[in-house]
Each structure stands twice: as C-alpha cells, then as structure tokens.
Amino acid sequence: MQNHDEPDQDPRLRARLEALEQEVVAGRGRHAAAEAAARRYRMFLDSVQDYAFITFDSDERVVGWSRGAEIILGHAEAEAMGLRSAVFFTPEDVATGQPEKEARLARDTGRAEDERWHMRRDGVRFWGSGVMTALRDDVGELLGYIKVMRDHTARRIAEQRVRDSEESLRLFGENVRDYALVPVDPDGLISGWNPGAERIFGYEEKELLGKPVWVLFGSDEAARRYSYGDLERALAEGRAEGERWMFRKDGTRLWSRWVTTPMRDAEGQLRGYAKVLHDETDRKLAAEQREVHREREREVLHHRIQSTGEALDRTKEELRALAGSLLDAQEQERRRIARDLHDDLSQRLAVLLFGLGRLRTALPEGIVPDLGRLEQQVESLAHDVRRLSHQLHPAILDDLGLAVALGRLVEEFSESRATTVKITERGLPDELPAAGSAALYRIAQEGLRNISKHAGADPVTVELTVEGGELRLTIADAGPGFDMAAVRGRGGLGGLGIISMQERMRLVGGVLQIDSLPGRGTTLVARVPLTKENP
Amino acid sequence: MNRPRLLIAEDHVATQEALRELLTPDHEIVALVRDGQAAIDAVDRLHPDVVLLDISMPVLGGMAAARRLHQRLPELKLIFVTVHADPLYLEEAFRVGARGYVVKQAMDAELAPAIAAVLAGGTYRSPSVAVS
C-alpha cells in the first residue's frame, strides 16, 4: 500500500481504481460461479459411467477425461491428458488415416459418427459406438472436439454372430450341390432355390420362385394332391419322408427321395416348410437293374429246379418201368419154366408110364413086380414135377381161370392155417384177361401170405366180382391191422410187398387200395379194367 | 360097324405118337392138330364123331376150345386127355361141355372104354382123379 499516497491524490484516478476494484470483486464472483458450474458439470459427466466423455483441443489432444472414459478405455485421467486421439484407434485404422478422417469430418460437418473397434490401454479391443463433435467459440474459431462413446462390444459380437450365421446359412445353401434345398412358404409356394436344386431339376431360381412346389411332382391333379398331402403330413407328424418319380425341366424323370419339415418361428408360428431332396435316380435304376437280374436268376434257378424235378420224375418213371419189366420178366420166365416142366416133362413121364403099362402084358410073370415099382417111381417123379411147376406158376390159372385158381389157393390156405376163408364170386364172365388174372392171383397170394404172418387165425373173406367194367378182388381180415404210413415209411419187406403189389397192378392198368388201421383189420381191394386190350 | 372118327388136339409129339399107337387099330384118326383153334377149324371141315382134347395147348387151350365147340355144337362129343389128375380140372371140364375125362397116365387102360362110353351117349370120369 505504499503507492496509495500518490494515487489517492488524484480523485479521478481514485475513482478509476475504485471502479477497477469493484470490477475485480465482480469478476471474482463470476469466476467463482463459473467454477461452481464446471464442477457440477464434471460431477454429472463422471456419474454417467456407461459413456466415455472425452474432450480434445484443436490438435486432437486430450484435455478432458470422464470417469466413464477411464472405465471404458482403461486410462486414468492423469495419464490420459495430452494423449492424441489416434492412440485409441486400432493400428489398421491408424494406418488408413481414420483418426484424421474422423476429425476432418467433425470439423467440416460439425460431427462424425464413430462406430469402430477401439484400443483399450491394455491392448484389448472393444467396439466403440459414438459421435465426435467439433467445439467452436462465438465467432466460429475451433476450440477442440468432444467425443461421446459407449462400449457396444457385446451387442456388436451378437450382431456379428447373427450376420455370420446368416452368411454361413447362405453359403451352405449355395454350396450344397448334391441336395436341393427348397424352402416353401405356408401356402406351398417355392420361396428359395439353391444351386443344388438348380442342378438336380434344371430350373433356374427365377423360374420357380413363387411357383407352387407341386410342379416338381408333375403337372396333373394327382401330383398336386400328392404334394399338398406331403405338406399336410409334415405339418401333422413333424416331418414327412417320401420317394417318387419327379420331373426335370426337360421332362426327363428322376427318382427323388426327400424330407419335408415344417419351419416355425420362436413363437411357434408356421413360417413355411423346408424341403430337402436328393436325386437317387442312379441308385434306383441300379436297384431296378439288380431286381431284373435277380428275377432272371430266380427264373433260371426255377427252371433248373423244374428240369431237375422233371429229370427226377423221368428217372423215377424209368425205375418204375424197370421194376415193372423185372416183375413182368420174372412172371414170364416162371410161366415158361412151369410150362416146360408141365407140358413137356409131365407129358413125357405120362407117355413113359403108358409105355411101361403096355410092357406089362408082354413081360414074364417074374418081372411084373419090378415093373410095378418102376411105375411107382415114375409116378412119384411126375408128381414132383407137377408140384414144382405149380409152385412156379399155377397152370390152373391159365387152364381153368382166375376163379378156380383162387378157389384152389384159398382152399390150400384154409388147410394150412385153420382159418375160415369165405370166397364169393359174382358176375364173372367165362374168360378173364390173362395178365390181369395173373396179377390178381399174385396179389391174392401175397395178401394171404401177409394175413398168415400177421392176422393169425382171424376170419378172412375173399371176394372176386365184376363191377362197372372192372374185375375186383377184395381180401378182408379182422386181424390187428397196421399203420399204412408207418409200413411205407419203414420200407423193408413189408413196404416192399405193398410196393410190388402196386407195381403189378400198375402194369395191367389196375389200382391197388389198402385200408388198414391198428385194431380195425385190413381191407385190400385190387381192381383191373375188363377191356379187350387186357386179354 | 364103322370105326369111330376121331379128331385129336395134342401139341406134345410123344403123346401124339402114343395116342396114334393106342387108337389106330380100332379108330379112324381124321386129323391130328396142335392147338385149340386148329381143332375148332378142323371140326367144321371134318365133322368127327369124337374130339380128344389136351388141356394145355398153345394159341387156344383145351378148356376154351371145348367151351366154344360146345356152345356151337352141343351134341359134339368131347373127351379131355390130360396129365391133370385134379378134381377141379375134371369138374371144370364137364362144366364146359366135356363128356369124358381121362388122365394120360392111365390112357392105355381107360381111353378106349371112355370113347366107347361117350359114343354110347354116356360119360366117362377117370377113376385116377377121384383117388388124388
């Protein structure tokens, strides 16, 4: 205050000084108010921590740094001060001059959108989303910039993911060439057509978009109904599979297999159908080819089996014929030998006896007894020859016929077995067919032999009748009977006896029937046609 | 009296000879045939008084030939000369129309009487048959 004395002398100066002092006091008051306002503003910025508020001077150096900026970018306020804005850009963006472009845009237009990856202090990137605004004074002089920014990394990543999946879906559809991927809208109209569909069906996307999906099945009403049926089934059951001949654009057929699935949104609303089709024409044709081939093989096999069967039948027939010939030959041979014995030897023996008898009168008395013994021996010999002949083939059958021969057979059987045998003959003509008679005679022999073996002393009836143009021999016993199938199955002599009887009948065009049940006796019926061809 | 005219049906040569030897002195043998069919044909041509038939012969046996001859000529006199000393044979022989039955073993003694009996309108059954 040592200067006070002099200025105080001048009242004008004093007044001026006082005015200055008042101004200073007022200025101090304004300054304090401004400072208070700045503090309040700062408090507001710091409390909004989700946003970074950064102020730059005109050289893009940091001059203001909010609490949000600290959190989002990782720099403390003290160290952030003076950093250039480029520090928060990625090196790629820095290399392409993004910081300068942003500033220039803000300078030229007043603001610049700031949507990009940024660098945190620790080098981790985050997606900053905000705006940079130029700050100017009253006369338009650039004071600096203010940048407001949020960390939208999470949203950015989610958006990216959606974009990625949409992209990969698009790529998927475009790159699948083996399958036709065909989205269909809820009304059954084609809403997408991938290159696979184009390749398989030959239509371009623009030709089919908006067309009803049934055109792929054909052009008629049946194709339409089938296609809608497929969609309805998919809707009802969650999916529908099918395979069918379909048509390419050029009209050629293709065998397609497909799955149709309904597409629903998150709310469960039907948005359409996804149809995935595969061209299996080659597989189908190959399968058909195989089937044709297999069918041909089956035919060949069938043919082979048939011809083998026929060969077997022929062999069987030949065996039967052979067996028949053997039986026939045996019968002929026996008959011939029997005839030789009977017609020749017996006759000669008879003549010999006749000669011996004539000698009797011419011989001296003493020799006659010797002659008698000789005659007895010759008679005995003749008797043996006749018996032998009869065993081989009964001459009585040829000479006196079947009825008499059967009567003799039954008589002998009755004597040897003490069995009651009743024989009846009805309606027989004078002459019966020789071969048929011989066969029936042999069957009677065999039948009676079987009875004597198995049926013991039970009563037996033998019947020889003519009925309906057939000569019929019936032999029935009340013996124990037997199981036909078991005898046949067992083979052996029992079965063989029956077989040879049947064969004999077959040779003369006849039929043999044997009915027997255990405990119920046995009935044998042999029938031979009475024709001229069977004399 | 004329000798009876005989037709003989016999296929066995030795027997033919024996019959010829036995019968020639007192009978006329108009023909000697070897089977039943030939006998039937010869009867039509030669009209014999008596036909002697063997039973076992080729082509047509004695029984069948006798049956046919008897059906056509019921008065024709038929005698079987056979080795069969079997009553069934004898019975059948008379059933088909024979009037005599002689077994060959005994023909030396029985055949001439049999022919005589038959010519006289009777019948002859060889006693040897009843024996066996």
Side-chain angles (χ1 to χ4, degrees):
Chain A
M1 283 275 171
Q2 56 266 59
N3 289 340
H4 263 202
D5 295 331
E6 275 169 286
D8 282 353
Q9 305 308 314
D10 182 351
R12 278 193 302 136
L13 197 63
R14 184 173 301 235
R16 177 85 180 131
L17 204 62
E18 281 173 358
L20 272 176
E21 273 178 355
Q22 280 166 5
E23 250 178 63
V24 167
V25 169
R28 274 196 190 128
R30 273 201 305 276
H31 182 72
E35 276 194 339
R39 267 200 308 279
R40 280 199 301 276
Y41 185 56
R42 177 64 194 245
M43 270 170 62
F44 164 74
L45 292 183
D46 283 347
S47 69
V48 183
Q49 294 185 359
D50 284 343
Y51 287 84
F53 297 100
I54 309 165
T55 35
F56 299 96
D57 63 13
S58 56
D59 287 333
E60 296 152 47
R61 289 181 192 278
V62 173
V63 291
W65 194 254
S66 75
R67 173 74 187 134
E70 230 177 74
I71 292 169
I72 291 170
L73 286 149
H75 298 273
E77 185 178 8
E79 57 185 24
M81 286 301 169
L83 290 175
R84 289 188 62 90
S85 71
V87 170
F88 313 119
F89 282 70
T90 61
E92 309 90 275
D93 284 351
V94 172
T96 54
Q98 294 305 319
E100 291 78 16
K101 279 184 192 163
E102 189 184 89
R104 190 164 57 245
L105 190 62
R107 230 170 24 240
D108 294 349
T109 66
R111 64 196 300 276
E113 297 280 342
D114 183 20
E115 296 278 343
R116 68 180 84 247
W117 289 105
H118 288 75
M119 302 293 289
R120 280 169 59 91
R121 179 177 177 267
D122 56 10
V124 173
R125 294 174 181 216
F126 70 96
W127 185 262
S129 169
V131 65
M132 178 126 156
T133 315
L135 285 177
R136 293 180 187 279
D137 63 10
D138 298 344
V139 292
E141 198 63 32
L142 182 71
L143 296 176
Y145 309 88
I146 178 157
K147 186 175 235 180
V148 181
M149 180 167 62
R150 285 197 73 174
D151 178 354
H152 270 164
T153 306
R155 199 174 74 187
R156 170 71 188 176
I157 287 171
E159 283 171 0
Q160 188 62 44
R161 210 167 274 154
V162 170
R163 265 198 303 281
D164 285 354
S165 77
E166 279 171 356
E167 174 71 356
S168 72
L169 213 57
R170 191 182 58 79
L171 289 173
F172 178 75
E174 279 177 8
N175 286 283
V176 167
R177 305 192 64 80
D178 288 335
Y179 285 85
L181 307 176
V182 184
V184 178
D185 73 13
D187 297 326
L189 304 180
I190 292 171
S191 58
W193 192 250
N194 78 327
E198 196 172 314
R199 191 185 63 82
I200 290 171
F201 287 98
Y203 291 99
E204 284 175 40
E205 183 171 21
K206 60 175 189 285
E207 292 177 286
L208 279 190
L209 280 185
K211 294 271 164 51
V213 70
W214 57 261
V215 300
L216 300 178
F217 288 92
S219 52
D220 55 355
E221 176 62 21
R224 203 180 67 80
R225 264 206 312 277
Y226 184 84
S227 178
Y228 281 120
D230 178 63
L231 297 183
E232 280 166 19
R233 211 165 68 242
L235 203 54
E237 297 170 15
R239 70 199 298 272
E241 273 186 70
E243 52 185 330
R244 195 182 167 90
W245 285 111
M246 295 175 113
F247 293 92
R248 297 194 187 89
K249 185 186 177 185
D250 63 9
T252 55
R253 291 195 316 170
L254 75 110
W255 181 263
S256 170
R257 260 174 90 105
W258 71 86
V259 182
T260 308
T261 321
M263 296 191 293
R264 296 177 186 280
D265 61 20
E267 282 74 44
Q269 203 63 33
L270 180 71
R271 302 298 292 272
Y273 304 87
K275 225 174 163 66
V276 179
L277 305 99
H278 192 220
D279 179 356
E280 303 208 340
T281 308
D282 291 347
R283 188 187 62 83
K284 174 72 175 172
L285 292 179
E288 282 180 355
Q289 198 60 40
R290 273 199 304 279
E291 188 49 42
V292 165
H293 188 64
R294 224 173 283 146
E295 183 57 35
R296 204 172 299 138
E297 276 181 345
R298 267 198 291 274
E299 268 169 29
V300 168
L301 193 63
H302 180 73
H303 186 72
R304 252 183 230 152
I305 288 170
Q306 207 169 29
S307 44
T308 309
E310 279 164 9
L312 267 177
D313 283 350
R314 275 198 301 279
T315 309
K316 217 158 89 183
E317 196 49 47
E318 282 164 9
L319 276 173
R320 282 171 66 125
L322 185 61
S325 308
L326 280 172
L327 275 171
D328 198 37
Q330 184 198 41
E331 193 65 43
Q332 299 285 351
E333 191 61 9
R334 284 179 157 203
R335 186 193 292 246
R336 192 185 64 74
I337 296 168
R339 282 278 165 210
D340 279 354
L341 288 173
H342 186 269
D343 294 356
D344 190 43
L345 277 181
S346 286
Q347 304 268 0
R348 280 157 72 180
L349 288 169
V351 173
L352 186 58
L353 274 175
F354 166 76
L356 288 174
R358 293 187 72 99
L359 275 178
R360 191 181 294 270
T361 49
L363 285 176
E365 204 64 19
I367 298 177
V368 169
D370 293 339
L371 185 66
R373 279 196 301 279
L374 218 54
E375 282 175 337
Q376 276 167 16
Q377 283 175 21
V378 174
E379 270 175 17
S380 161
L381 182 60
H383 182 261
D384 288 350
V385 168
R386 275 199 304 279
R387 204 190 58 219
L388 187 59
S389 165
H390 180 73
Q391 279 170 2
L392 282 171
H393 178 86
I396 190 171
L397 183 62
D398 298 340
D399 296 333
L400 305 184
L402 177 60
V404 177
L406 273 184
R408 164 62 52 82
L409 188 66
V410 163
E411 192 181 299
E412 287 166 357
F413 178 77
S414 303
E415 281 166 8
S416 66
R417 291 279 146 191
T419 306
T420 323
V421 182
K422 199 175 132 235
I423 179 157
T424 356
E425 303 157 18
R426 268 200 320 272
L428 298 182
D430 284 333
E431 289 173 47
L432 293 174
S437 295
L440 288 183
Y441 184 84
R442 290 299 186 201
I443 281 166
Q445 267 188 324
E446 177 76 21
L448 290 174
R449 198 158 38 232
N450 284 340
I451 288 172
S452 73
K453 267 191 283 187
H454 306 296
D458 297 298
V460 177
T461 59
V462 177
E463 238 183 33
L464 186 66
T465 56
V466 170
E467 278 171 43
E470 282 181 335
L471 184 56
R472 179 191 296 245
L473 169 71
T474 308
I475 302 176
D477 71 68
F482 60 92
D483 182 351
M484 277 296 291
V487 169
R488 279 227 180 81
R490 198 168 58 228
L493 287 178
L496 204 61
I498 290 172
I499 289 170
S500 83
M501 282 197 272
Q502 277 168 336
E503 209 43 48
R504 279 186 197 281
M505 290 313 293
R506 207 183 58 82
L507 275 174
V508 295
V511 176
L512 177 75
Q513 190 188 334
I514 300 177
D515 291 315
S516 188
L517 277 175
R520 306 284 287 274
T522 303
T523 302
L524 175 157
V525 180
R527 293 174 291 143
V528 180
L530 272 181
T531 55
K532 294 289 171 207
E533 291 79 42
N534 194 6
Chain B
M1 174 185 163
N2 286 336
R3 291 185 300 167
R5 301 174 73 250
L6 304 180
L7 174 68
I8 298 175
E10 168 63 67
D11 64 318
H12 197 266
V13 179
T15 313
Q16 283 177 356
E17 288 310 312
L19 285 170
R20 199 192 296 276
E21 183 189 336
L22 178 64
L23 297 170
T24 300
D26 302 317
H27 305 78
E28 182 188 347
I29 298 172
V30 294
L32 225 160
V33 297
R34 299 170 55 93
D35 64 73
Q37 189 56 53
I40 292 171
D41 297 342
V43 166
D44 287 341
R45 279 185 290 112
L46 304 168
H47 311 291
D49 299 320
V50 177
V51 180
L52 302 185
L53 289 164
D54 187 15
I55 289 180
S56 305
M57 285 187 295
V59 186
L60 189 67
M63 288 289 181
R67 190 183 295 117
R68 293 183 196 180
L69 284 170
H70 182 67
Q71 276 168 1
R72 284 163 52 191
L73 305 163
E75 296 308 313
L76 185 61
K77 294 169 177 66
L78 304 171
I79 298 174
F80 279 104
V81 183
T82 171
V83 290
H84 295 284
D86 184 330
L88 282 179
Y89 274 74
L90 186 143
E91 198 182 304
E92 182 71 8
F94 276 85
R95 210 174 61 77
V96 298
R99 302 190 182 192
Y101 192 94
V102 175
V103 294
K104 283 183 183 165
Q105 295 86 326
M107 64 185 181
D108 183 29
E110 296 181 8
L111 190 51
I115 292 171
V118 165
L119 279 173
T123 58
Y124 184 90
R125 287 175 165 81
S126 183
S128 338
V129 175
V131 171
S132 71

